[in-house]
Every structure is written in C-alpha cells, then in structure tokens.
Amino acid sequence: MAAPAARGSSLSGLLPAQTSLEYALLDAVTQQEKDGLVYQYLQKVDGREQDLLVPEFPEDGLLIVGVHSAKFPNEKVLDNIKSAVLRYNITHPVVNDADAFLWQELEVSCWPTLVILGPRGNMLFSLIGEGHKDKLFLYTSIALKYYKDRGQIRDNKIGIKLYKDSLPPSPLLFPGKVTVDHATNRLVVADTGHHRILVIWKNGQIQYSIGGPNPGRKDGTFSEATFNSPQGVAMKNDVIYVADTENHLIRKIDLEAEQVSTVAGVGIQGTDREGGAAGEQQPISSPWDVVLGTSGSEVQRDDILWIAMAGTHQIWALLLDSGKLPKKNELKKGTCLRFAGSGNEENRNNAYPHKAGFAQPSGLSLASEDPWSCLFVADSESSTVRTVSLRDGAVKHLVGGERDPLNLFAFGDVDGVGISAKLQHPLGVAWDKKRNLLYVADSYNHKIKVVDPKTKNCTTLAGTGDLNDVFSSSFTESTFNEPGGLCVGENGQLLYVADTNNHQIKVMDLETRTVSVLPVFRSENAVVDGPFLVEKQKTVPKLPKSAPSVELSSVTACPGQTLQFKLRLTLPSGTKLTEGVASCWFLTAEDNEWLLQGQILSGDIENISNQPAISLQIPSNCLSLTAVISISVFLYYCSADSSACMMKGILFRQPLQITDVQPGRIDPVELRYVF
C-alpha cells in the first residue's frame, strides 16, 4: 500500500537523510559497501509514513523529464522552447514550467537540479549543480534494483511522440553559417540542424549535400561522411573547410575528389589553451567559425585557416602551408595553435594577443587590405565586435560592451558609436571590401547591423527586432529570428544571411535595399515558416515558500506625493549575480490595484553594487485611506567559479496611510536584507 503524500513537500525534506548517506559513502571503500548504503537509505525513505511527492508527477518506472523553468520572459514562449528542443536534438519529454510552479513548490535554488523519483512520484534523491555523474549512476542503478526487488518497476515502454516528427520536411534546419565561392558564385551553407553541408547554386538548387541527416563523426566519401552540428564554413576553389562544432574538429571537403577528411582535432573536447601540435593530433574545443587568410607573406596565398575557438574563448590558426604568424618563428604545415586570447572568458583588449580575453568568439571576417589588416570577431558572450591585428596580434574594441573586462552583461539594442552602441549576443560578421563596412548578425536582437570601422558608428541596417516571420521585402520592415551568419557576394551587391530560427537563407540587395528568401528547393520538401507567439504581459512569479517576508514601518503620504524605495540587498560572501539571468523586482498592491495605474511595476537588477530605486506616486484620486504595497525581489546568483547557482526571493510589505494633510518630505525607504 502506497504511503500517503506529504503536502507542501520540498527538496529540503530529503536533506537530513541524504546528507548522512553522502558522509557514509565517503568512508565506504568497496563498491559493494556503497551499493549497500544506498539500498539501506532507500529502505528508510521508501518506508516513510508520508511520501515527499513532486506535484503531478505520478510516473512509474524510469523516465527522464526535463523541467524548463524560464529565466527570461521570451523563454516562456512555447515556440522558442520547441526551437531549442529541435536544435539540441532533445528526445526526452520537456515540461514548460512557464510560471515556475514546480521550481517554487520544490524550492529549487540552483541550476541544474536533478531529482530522482520513486514509482509513486516520491522523491528519493536530489543532486544540485554539476559534476555528479558517479552519484547519479549509483543512486539510479540501486533505486532500480530496490524497486525491481519489490515488483514495482514495469518494463513496458512509455510512448513518446517527438515534436520533430510532427514537422514537415524542410530543406534547411537551423542554418548556422553561410559563405560564398566568389569564383563560381556558389553558396556553402552549414545546415546545422540537419548535420550537413550544402553547396547551392545561386538560384537555390542544391548541387551537393554532404553528411546528415543524423549526427556522426566519419571521414570518407560524400555518401559516407558525417558531421555533428557544423557551423563555420570557408571555401576556395573546390575545397571547403568546416568548423565541425560538436565533434570538436576542423574538416576538409574536397569537391573534386568528393572526399571528407579531418585536418584538426581529435574528436573529443580539448582543454589545451596553447596548441602547437600537428592538426590531427591537436585537441580543440567547439570551433564556431573559420575564415581563410595569409601569413606574413605579402602575396595573398590563403595559407592560414583562422578559427573562432568558442570553447576556449580564443582565436586559433591552422597552417595550411609552412609560414609565420606575427611574432612567431617559421611554423610547419599542419600546425594548429592559439593566436590570440588567454583562455579566460573576458572582454579584455590588449596589445599582447595572449593577454587579451574573449568570451565565446563565434564569428570571423577578414579585412587583409590596408589600413585595416585585421580579423573582425563577433564575440558573442561579451556582446561586442573586436579586431585582431594581422601585423602584431593586438586585440582592440570596435563596438558594444563596456570598458570593464569582467562585465559580460553590457548588452542591449542601441545604435551608437563605439562603446555607446549595444549589441546582444552577435554571432556573425562580414566585411564589405567595396564599401569599407562591416555587417553584423546581431542575433538576439534579431537584426542586421552595419559598422563603419573608421568612425566606429554602428546602426541598424535591417530587421524590426520582432520574431514574427511576416515577410517584407524592405530593409526597415524585414524580420529575422536569431540570424547566425552572413557573407557578402556578387561583388558587394548582395548580403546573404543565415536566418537561423526561420530556417532560411535571406538575400539582402545592398543597392536596392530589398530582401528576398533564397528558394532552397527539392520538390519533395517544404519550408517551415511558422509564426512565433507574441509575448504576453509579464506576470509576477511566485515566491519560494522559504522566502522571508519583511514588514516595514507604516508610511504616511498624501495624494500626488512620490514614495521611493531603495534596494539594499547583500549577497553571500564569494557570490555574484548570475550571468545572463535577469534578477528582478515586482510591485503589487493586493485589493488596491488602483494604486498601480500608470506606475512602473517591474524592473531588472543588473548590478548588485548599483541597485535600482523603485518609485510609486500616490494617485490624486484615492479609493482608500489605507493600503499595503508589496515589493517582491528575485535574485539569481552563483558562486565565484559559477559551479553552483541559486535563486532567492524576498517580500517587502509597506503599509500606507493616506491623508489630505501634507506630511512633509518623505525619506526614501531602504529595503535592506542580507542573504
């Protein structure tokens, strides 16, 4: 007979028993001892008078379920979640916990948190943070044995219909990058979601399809070769170089011989930040883009493949022939090594290339001619565009970001000059030699921007910023959805854009300022052009049950007066606000919503050392002489090394007395709390 459920269950209910288990496991010597300890623990928690239940999870047997509790408002949109499920080939069920219901009910406080449940939906173990592979396998295997011994595990499969199986076939799926063969005007597209490379004539007809539709890692003929989420592509003559991102390889496609080979990487993610070995022996990490260039010779030979090595936050070089890099001795053909970047994830510019810092560089373009003589780098996590000198390797800022090299949150959507311009996670850059301009795929702003490197002026060229794929042929009314790559073709007339989440290649005519879609066609295929949902008005998340509530002293105010609340929150020592997650505040007034008309009801907390002030103006027409204002605060923070992340909430309640008598100046109310 199943034990009754304990209402109001949370992960903290597991803590005493599981902590004792983990201390005992530290003293255990043999695997048999460890298995026995876990089995005894399960006997204890399974025999509770009341189960610790997860709401609405009465699963039987072993099933993996991902719970998506959104960090950003746009992550609550179902179509965006579907895109992520497709892009990362997720095949287990994913629950859209849009209102953070499960997060709050279980009092989850850290990403990621894994919970192992028994057949009744009863919580058995929780694992917080990363690096628990051994414990996860141990706890799961013994839990399966425990419940199989009791006949409570079923072997029959649970039917799952994958979202991707419901979609019509598409010629492109999340295309990441695109380049042009200037000799023949063919396009090369990294059809990332299909794990293949396409060579396309300019009318859209596919000439070669290499790899796919499933991921793999195999060299050989075009019919044998496989890739895994390829991104950057570079082409000259009949040779294509590919950043085979998830395989951590650089691949070479020989169109004449119809063969694919590996020229750098060993097939597993490397941690080496220096390099220097022969390409096929040199581990590399998540190469995201590639571009052909020339070593110290004055003659344009295209004897270097520059690599945006996103995984180690660096720019690398692969020598396609013997040659030299700035400040380097002669290097042998095939050598693969770091050119710029310390490997620290930073927005740090420096005259010494090895002291500079990048943050997931994801796009490259080359301007070899004077006076530029540089690589342009789309540095995604710092939301900047940077330059790397081909003469001495000096790394300089062009647009976006800010001066603090450790601040990777200086993003936005602002046209401007240099540091006053703001981008959001740019993934691609393309140099227009004809006009001396740089085009930027400003991915998370869903726009194409243009930068004059002489003046550092950055302006929007195309894209409204809306996600709806309502096609318009004009630059100003066109729409994109996370464009990831772009290239200039037709002697500077056309700009080709990999419109990643719209599964399209868009063609921008820079002279007529019109946009069209390249009709990548095969008669049996159809293009996926689904509209995206419009984001609903922001709702106030539910505070965790453990969140403290602070009752403030009553304040007397008269109609027309403005109250100001100043946040003064202190994080635990050795922690920082979580990167990429918006800590925020919300203003509510239960049963007195008239107080909130025309007010700013929410905002972000971007800097713990410069917390925002919250203003509330008392309306001129008051419907009550007493009210309570509630200020809910949600803080997302991580340990200094980002190994564990948490969310904490707090509620401040401010009683109000409203009077017709002018009470004089009201001092700002300080909302203080130490977590």
Side-chain angles (χ1 to χ4, degrees), residues 208-255:
Y208 295 106
S209 176
I210 309 157
N214 299 313
R217 178 196 152 203
K218 188 175 182 181
D219 291 338
T221 64
F222 284 5
S223 61
E224 298 171 330
T226 52
F227 301 87
N228 192 347
S229 300
Q231 287 283 344
V233 283
M235 182 175 185
K236 185 176 182 182
N237 301 325
D238 279 327
V239 173
I240 303 168
Y241 292 96
V242 181
D244 193 4
T245 305
E246 292 298 323
N247 277 329
H248 312 288
L249 299 174
I250 301 297
R251 313 290 289 281
K252 177 183 176 181
I253 300 174
D254 187 324
L255 295 179

Side-chain angles (χ1 to χ4, degrees), residues 14-28 37-38 41 125-128 132 135-136 138-139:
L14 289 175
L15 190 60
Q18 190 174 331
T19 300
S20 298
L21 167 66
E22 292 181 356
Y23 275 120
L25 287 172
L26 292 175
D27 295 329
L37 287 169
V38 176
Y41 166 88
F125 305 92
S126 69
L127 296 170
I128 298 173
H132 302 302
K135 284 184 181 178
L136 177 63
L138 172 64
Y139 294 168

Side-chain angles (χ1 to χ4, degrees), residues 327-587:
K327 301 181 180 180
K328 292 283 187 182
N329 296 324
E330 187 78 13
L331 296 167
K332 293 181 180 179
K333 178 181 178 180
T335 304
C336 187
L337 74 167
R338 179 264 302 262
F339 176 54
S342 64
N344 297 325
E345 189 175 12
E346 298 175 330
N347 175 23
R348 188 179 298 278
N349 302 298
N350 202 292
Y352 297 94
H354 292 184
K355 292 185 178 180
F358 296 92
Q360 291 186 23
S362 302
L364 292 177
S365 190
L366 181 75
S368 58
E369 68 275 15
D370 289 330
W372 317 111
S373 189
C374 70
L375 283 167
F376 293 103
V377 182
D379 198 37
S380 62
E381 284 298 306
S382 68
S383 295
T384 63
V385 175
R386 325 271 286 282
T387 64
V388 183
S389 171
L390 296 177
R391 297 189 183 93
D392 57 13
V395 178
K396 297 180 180 179
H397 169 269
L398 187 60
V399 295
E402 70 143 60
R403 290 182 177 83
D404 180 357
L406 300 181
N407 183 1
L408 303 181
F409 294 95
F411 56 79
D413 184 8
V414 180
D415 291 351
V417 177
I419 214 164
S420 66
K422 292 292 179 280
L423 309 170
Q424 187 173 183
H425 205 269
L427 288 177
V429 282
W431 176 241
D432 184 345
K433 185 176 180 180
K434 177 180 177 180
R435 299 175 181 84
N436 286 337
L437 295 174
L438 183 73
Y439 304 109
V440 181
D442 193 3
S443 303
Y444 283 7
N445 284 326
H446 316 291
K447 293 181 178 181
I448 305 301
K449 295 187 176 176
V450 58
V451 177
D452 182 342
K454 186 175 181 180
T455 63
K456 294 191 174 184
N457 188 42
C458 177
T459 56
T460 299
L461 178 67
T464 63
D466 294 332
L467 295 183
N468 297 324
D469 187 28
V470 179
F471 181 75
S472 172
S473 62
S474 74
F475 276 19
T476 55
E477 297 178 2
S478 58
T479 58
F480 301 89
N481 192 336
E482 294 190 19
L486 65 181
C487 67
V488 177
E490 306 290 323
N491 296 317
Q493 180 183 346
L494 301 181
L495 182 67
Y496 295 95
V497 180
D499 193 5
T500 304
N501 282 8
N502 280 330
H503 315 292
Q504 295 172 340
I505 301 297
K506 289 200 169 126
V507 185
M508 299 173 58
D509 191 314
L510 298 170
E511 295 179 1
T512 64
R513 299 180 71 82
T514 56
V515 182
S516 60
V517 176
L518 185 71
V520 179
F521 60 88
R522 278 182 177 174
S523 58
E524 70 273 17
N525 287 335
V527 177
V528 178
D529 281 332
F532 283 78
L533 299 178
V534 177
E535 182 185 326
K536 296 181 180 179
Q537 185 177 354
K538 185 182 289 188
T539 57
V540 181
K542 184 180 178 182
L543 282 165
K545 291 182 288 186
S546 59
S549 178
V550 178
E551 194 81 15
L552 302 168
S553 300
S554 181
V555 169
T556 302
C558 67
Q561 271 196 312
T562 297
L563 303 180
Q564 190 174 64
F565 302 90
K566 293 186 176 181
L567 290 174
R568 295 289 187 266
L569 306 174
T570 303
L571 295 180
S573 177
T575 62
K576 61 182 180 180
L577 289 179
T578 304
E579 299 177 1
V581 184
S583 296
C584 51
W585 58 265
F586 293 83
L587 199 62

